[in-house]
Amino acid sequence: MARYGMAIDTRKCVGCMDCVVACKTENGVPEGLNRDWIAYESAGKFPTIHMEIRSERCNHCDNPPCVACCPTGASHVDDLGHIVLVTHNACIGCKACLASCPYDARFVHPDGYADKCTFCAHRVGEGLDPACVMVCPTRCFTFGDLDDPQSAITRVLESRRGHALLTDAGTGPRIFYLD
Amino acid sequence: MTPELFITRHNELVDPFVQVWSWQIPVYLFLGGLVAGMMIITGFSLVKGRYGERSCICSALPGVGLVMLSLGMLALFLDLEHKWYVWRLYTTFQPSSPMSWGAWILVLVYPVLIASWLVRPPALLEDLSQTVERASAWLQARPQAVRAMGAASLGLGVALGIYTGILLSSLGARPLWSSGILGPLFLASGLSAAAAFTHMVARNEHERIEMARLDNVALTAELGILALLMLGLFSGSAPQMAAAGLFMGGAYTAPFWVFVVALGIVMPLIIQNLAVAHRIAHTPLAPLMVMTGSLALRFVFVQAGQMSHWAHGVLGVIRH
């Protein structure tokens, strides 16, 4: 089984939000809610100031707390590629998964169930990339199987320095930001 | 339809903090803890064979517990966003989910509460129903079964009380909750609230004094556990220290120290110690303060926990 992940080149990302719009269009995300978003983080003191623009979403963690705390098994890791998904008609809307996610990646869909990024599993299952990856005008995304030594994502992570978010939380995030 | 030009939601860099649980969850946790304490007190009375006395508090607590637990379950139900799928809780058991454990513990709690109630049901109910009277007589003729039920009530009470705290501590994304000591803390708080309630409604002086003493022990334990919790947070990682800061100069300093610690634990502890030493008369004031403090503890921890975050104290976050 594959173990899908994503690498995002922060030197190429310009924060255009094409990925956000593509996700909303592809997945019919309701108005006012988002499965992915752009974050700006500034650090340092002039003149050695640093700013990072990041396209963020569910990290499809190796150790997903949202799956562990789900009382009905609605939140689960799928067989396609360890993608964290939610079975809508098994979710009771208790919001434990929202509270357990250190990335605040989940929200309650207006229909009542917990919703979030699916890595566009419906597309990935057909051999396509997620919608956000496809539309990026700067080609800053690399998506693929982290367990495949020949995959583009494995090669890019071997060749470039990068970081994941809030690794101290112990969730094992699978979205990497290339420095 | 408003065009979405700015797309910003549900991220620490964007939202100040996650706010998914309102009043329903603290109320559910309080009532769950209160019922847990009532089950422990009832269980102890049954094991000790006190159900023979008509005035025994064990004749009233299970009935009150049934009502309180049902109200708590109603609060939880109101909080659910996908309400009509609630039955899904009972189509599976998820060992890693405390909420799943809680759902199944409640399945055991209800029958034990009902059976405990039937050991010494209120006289009015016995008069109204012959079935109740017969069931009561059948149970009273079997002291070993009653003792076993008392032991079950004790065990389930402890499990339910700990569950109300572990429910939060299993959500590791919030550093304030990220400690198993919340289980014993909420158990002690639930037991003190139940002892306070029993102290108010007990019909004989002996039970009132006994409950005041039990309450004092539970409140002292609660103070000790709170101190250990704070010690653990302050000696922890940067996000845990930032979480402790919510009570030390942060947004929840006043509610925590005034309503939880001072009015909810320390003051009633002083009043009840004086009452037990026969220096002042027993009044409902201290028990009311204990119950209010126990409710305040749940509100403060649920709200402050949602405000705590792993990014706090680590990232130089700039909010837009």
Side-chain angles (χ1 to χ4, degrees):
Chain A
M1 194 201 313
R3 191 170 66 92
Y4 288 116
M6 192 178 268
I8 301 168
D9 192 338
T10 58
R11 289 187 187 172
K12 286 185 181 173
C13 179
V14 292
C16 69
M17 296 197 188
D18 266 11
C19 51
V20 180
V21 176
C23 173
K24 286 184 76 80
T25 310
E26 175 72 23
N27 296 296
V29 182
E31 190 183 339
L33 301 168
N34 297 94
R35 288 183 178 186
D36 60 351
W37 59 90
I38 299 294
Y40 300 82
E41 190 182 324
S42 309
K45 198 173 176 183
F46 184 82
T48 54
I49 198 158
H50 168 81
M51 186 175 81
E52 186 172 280
I53 303 172
R54 292 195 300 260
S55 174
E56 293 186 357
R57 60 194 42 65
C58 167
N59 280 264
H60 296 277
C61 305
D62 281 331
N63 177 27
C66 52
V67 172
C69 73
C70 180
T72 64
S75 285
H76 64 281
V77 178
D78 86 331
D79 296 332
L80 175 69
H82 283 100
I83 299 173
V84 178
L85 297 176
V86 180
T87 307
H88 298 168
N89 63 6
C91 174
I92 61 173
C94 68
K95 294 168 284 192
C97 55
L98 274 76
S100 76
C101 175
Y103 308 102
D104 296 346
R106 289 178 170 232
F107 57 89
V108 176
H109 190 279
D111 289 343
Y113 55 82
D115 201 9
K116 60 174 221 49
C117 163
T118 62
F119 265 168
C120 285
H122 58 287
R123 291 173 58 90
V124 174
E126 293 177 5
L128 301 169
D129 276 337
C132 54
V133 176
M134 284 293 290
V135 300
C136 180
T138 65
R139 295 280 177 260
C140 72
F141 291 89
T142 309
F143 178 79
D145 181 3
L146 291 165
D147 284 345
D148 177 1
Q150 301 304 317
S151 69
I153 188 167
T154 307
R155 289 202 304 268
V156 79
L157 287 174
E158 279 172 358
S159 63
R160 291 273 302 272
R161 279 182 58 192
H163 64 277
L165 298 180
L166 300 176
T167 48
D168 286 351
T171 58
R174 293 211 304 266
I175 306 268
F176 301 93
Y177 296 93
L178 304 176
D179 297 329
Chain B
M1 186 171 148
T2 315
E4 287 194 56
L5 296 177
F6 298 98
I7 303 188
T8 51
R9 200 181 183 280
H10 268 303
N11 181 263
E12 169 55 24
L13 298 174
V14 178
D15 285 346
F17 52 89
V18 70
Q19 189 70 33
V20 295
W21 286 331
S22 180
W23 63 270
Q24 298 94 334
I25 296 299
V27 167
Y28 164 65
L29 296 179
F30 168 68
L31 292 173
L34 181 66
V35 173
M38 288 177 173
M39 290 184 78
I40 292 170
I41 294 168
T42 305
F44 187 73
S45 300
L46 295 181
V47 169
K48 285 283 178 189
R50 290 189 187 164
Y51 56 92
E53 307 159 27
R54 171 59 74 182
S55 66
C56 174
I57 196 62
C58 59
S59 67
L61 283 188
V64 176
L66 280 170
V67 175
M68 295 293 183
L69 191 60
S70 302
L71 287 174
M73 297 293 282
L74 176 67
L76 179 66
F77 179 73
L78 290 176
D79 179 68
L80 297 182
E81 301 286 346
H82 225 193
K83 290 183 174 51
W84 306 118
Y85 289 85
V86 68
W87 55 273
R88 284 285 199 170
L89 282 170
Y90 296 105
T91 58
T92 180
F93 171 61
Q94 300 290 327
S96 65
S97 165
M99 208 179 271
S100 183
W101 277 95
W104 286 105
I105 286 173
L106 289 172
V107 169
L108 300 174
V109 162
Y110 268 102
V112 169
L113 274 174
I114 291 168
S116 306
W117 195 36
L118 284 174
V119 174
R120 178 56 85 180
L124 180 69
L125 201 68
E126 269 186 326
D127 294 344
L128 283 176
S129 166
Q130 281 196 338
T131 316
V132 170
E133 195 182 354
R134 260 188 252 126
S136 175
W138 188 88
L139 282 167
Q140 285 183 21
R142 285 161 182 81
Q144 278 196 325
V146 173
R147 266 199 295 276
M149 204 160 56
S153 184
L154 260 170
L156 280 172
V158 171
L160 181 62
I162 287 179
Y163 150 71
T164 60
I166 297 296
L167 179 68
L168 296 181
S169 70
S170 66
L171 307 173
R174 312 294 148 195
L176 182 68
W177 295 340
S178 187
S179 166
I181 208 167
L182 283 190
L185 174 66
F186 279 39
L187 173 65
S189 171
L191 183 59
S192 78
F197 178 84
T198 314
H199 183 184
M200 280 199 304
V201 301
R203 277 176 284 180
N204 68 53
E205 181 70 15
H206 171 70
E207 267 187 341
R208 271 207 296 277
I209 292 171
E210 208 171 39
M211 285 302 123
R213 284 193 179 129
L214 173 63
D215 204 3
N216 289 348
V217 171
L219 288 171
T220 308
E222 197 180 338
L223 260 187
I225 296 169
L226 271 175
L228 288 175
L229 176 72
M230 296 300 281
L231 191 69
L233 288 171
F234 274 116
S235 59
S237 59
Q240 286 173 313
M241 284 191 255
L246 289 166
F247 297 146
M248 305 295 280
Y252 286 89
T253 306
F256 177 72
W257 290 104
V258 175
F259 294 107
V260 177
V261 178
L263 296 178
I265 301 176
V266 178
M267 285 291 286
L269 195 54
I270 293 169
I271 294 171
Q272 286 183 164
N273 266 314
L274 291 172
V276 168
H278 301 294
R279 294 200 184 163
I280 58 171
H282 286 273
T283 68
L285 177 67
L288 279 173
M289 289 169 86
V290 170
M291 291 177 70
T292 311
S294 184
L295 180 62
L297 176 87
R298 269 70 174 189
F299 267 98
V300 165
F301 268 83
V302 169
Q303 299 305 325
Q306 292 181 93
M307 198 179 240
S308 72
H309 197 283
W310 273 98
H312 294 165
V314 176
L315 297 177
V317 171
I318 293 180
R319 297 205 175 95
H320 296 268

